[in-house]
Amino acid sequence: MQDSRPHPHDWNVSTDEAKRIQRRLASEVTERALPDGGETVAGIDVSVRDDTAQAAVSVLRLPELDVVDEATHRCEVPFPYVPGLLSFREMPAVLPALERLHSTPDVFVTDSHGAAHPRRFGLACHLGVLLDAPAIGVAKSILVGAPQGELGPEKGSRVPLVDDGETVGTVLRTRTDVNPVYVSVGHRCTLDGAADLMLDCSPRYKIPEPTRQAHKLSRAEG
DNA sequence: GCGACAG
DNA sequence: ATCTTGTCGC
């Protein structure tokens, strides 16, 4: 992936400014069909140790899920962890890592929420809008909303994640008898399409292979 | 005021 | 997220 725009965003902002930015950019999230065919999916994750963040991106090709590209970037964390403002903590480390890729992924997947967020603008949305590319959020726990109805125990089972009367995500069982993950729209995808793709990316583990690989890479030293 | 709260 | 050993189960 080649160099993106010079100053996509100023990350040194107050929490109030961050919330205003989220509310403004949330209106730019669009829903549309995901590209189909033998695509490449980039998993993104960030690990933090002693105020230093290491972002990692692992690009996998479907349907085999072979790793075809990787990149990392380390920097000081510029923002504390505040529920709802995760993107302001992790994006500064993620963007430089993306610029180091040798290819341009078709879809981006983050280990966080997209629209399943207080202002409907989680990290997956922020990434998708800044890159203007398809993005999906896959979190391991709920930030807002509640599962609608009971989720079946079988792999592939799914129920809506509803917040304030609005479907903001999908509770998806990627492994039989294992806790589900929470999928939500980041940008340029439909909720069902996102859940379908994440299921295709989880042939063996609960966590989709792209973010699973990125998680390992973010924890690796270097 | 109290509890909840992605990573 | 991170700090951490052993342990139950396929």
Side-chain angles (χ1 to χ4, degrees), chain A residues 46-55 73-78 89 93 218:
Chain A
V46 177
S47 65
V48 179
R49 271 175 26 191
D50 303 315
D51 281 346
T52 296
Q54 173 156 307
H73 179 74
R74 300 180 57 169
C75 65
E76 298 301 296
V77 290
R89 177 179 173 78
S218 74

Side-chain angles (χ1 to χ4, degrees), chain A residues 68-212:
Chain A
V68 297
D69 199 1
E70 293 182 327
T72 64
H73 179 74
R74 300 180 57 169
C75 65
E76 298 301 296
V77 290
F79 209 85
Y81 169 69
V82 178
L85 301 181
L86 184 63
S87 64
F88 288 84
R89 177 179 173 78
E90 304 196 338
M91 287 288 276
V94 172
L95 295 178
L98 292 175
E99 292 183 15
R100 293 187 175 186
L101 288 178
H102 297 159
S103 59
T104 301
D106 296 312
V107 184
F108 294 84
V109 182
T110 68
D111 67 323
S112 61
H113 291 290
H117 176 279
R119 290 166 291 284
R120 307 294 182 259
F121 199 71
L123 173 51
C125 296
H126 210 147
L127 182 71
V129 168
L130 289 193
L131 300 178
D132 194 26
I136 298 169
V138 180
K140 297 183 293 299
S141 62
I142 294 173
L143 175 58
V144 296
Q148 184 183 76
E150 185 147 331
L151 185 67
E154 298 278 310
K155 170 176 184 173
S157 295
R158 60 182 79 177
V159 297
L161 176 64
V162 178
D163 179 46
D164 196 30
E166 178 182 0
T167 293
V168 297
T170 295
V171 181
L172 177 68
R173 189 91 72 182
T174 52
R175 288 282 285 159
T176 297
D177 293 329
V178 172
N179 290 154
V181 293
Y182 305 88
V183 180
S184 56
V185 170
H187 189 46
R188 294 199 178 210
C189 68
T190 60
L191 188 51
D192 286 340
D196 290 342
L197 180 60
M198 291 304 93
L199 207 48
D200 289 340
C201 286
S202 313
R204 187 177 164 104
Y205 302 101
K206 162 188 171 179
I207 302 300
E209 209 58 24
T211 44
R212 207 177 78 79

